[in-house]
Amino acid sequence: MDRWFWIGLGGAAGTLARYALSTWCEGRFGAGFPYGTLAVNVLGSFLLGAISEVAATTELLSPTLRLGLSTGVMGGFTTYSSFNNETIRLIHYKSVAAGLVNIAITLVGCLLAGVLGMVVARRIMAS
């Protein structure tokens, strides 16, 4: 139960941090381009990479703290960082092909799912 608490608390903190950074970016750079999302995804990927490396190579992070930071904070901040980290690990530990397949399926699958969600919502709303 302790891990669930820290993951949930971290998720809330990450979500608030994402909103704060996105709002700041929109105010600073305007809404013509998704600067906030870009900033969140790049920063989140960097931070999750650093957290993963520290957790894998040192004793500085307990398993609970690692989960709270990675699954909680970074999961609330951006899920792209998880995709990024998992793809890098596939390429590094399994094969470049596995990483490329993950990229292709994720990109195409998510785009198609988004379009399908819009179509379904439009049909439901038109009923």
Side-chain angles (χ1 to χ4, degrees):
M1 187 64 173
D2 189 42
R3 287 181 176 187
W4 288 85
F5 172 79
W6 291 112
I7 292 169
L9 186 64
T15 298
L16 292 171
R18 177 182 68 228
Y19 180 73
L21 180 56
S22 293
T23 302
W24 180 85
C25 285
E26 186 174 325
R28 177 80 167 93
F29 304 111
F33 185 83
Y35 294 106
T37 300
L38 179 61
V40 162
N41 288 335
V42 171
L43 180 59
S45 294
F46 171 81
L47 292 173
L48 184 57
I51 291 165
S52 295
E53 185 64 20
V54 169
T57 60
T58 73
E59 300 285 324
L60 293 173
L61 302 176
S62 70
T64 300
L65 181 56
R66 181 191 57 80
L67 280 172
L69 290 173
S70 61
T71 303
V73 176
M74 290 296 96
F77 191 64
T78 172
T79 56
Y80 181 83
S81 60
S82 297
F83 163 75
N84 185 67
N85 191 54
E86 291 164 352
T87 302
I88 290 169
R89 293 203 176 283
L90 278 173
I91 291 168
H92 188 263
Y93 294 112
K94 293 203 178 196
S95 72
V96 171
L100 293 175
V101 166
N102 189 46
I103 291 167
I105 290 173
T106 299
L107 181 63
V108 173
C110 288
L111 288 171
L112 290 175
V115 169
L116 181 61
M118 292 170 71
V119 168
V120 169
R122 285 181 189 150
R123 289 197 179 178
I124 290 171
M125 298 303 284
S127 301

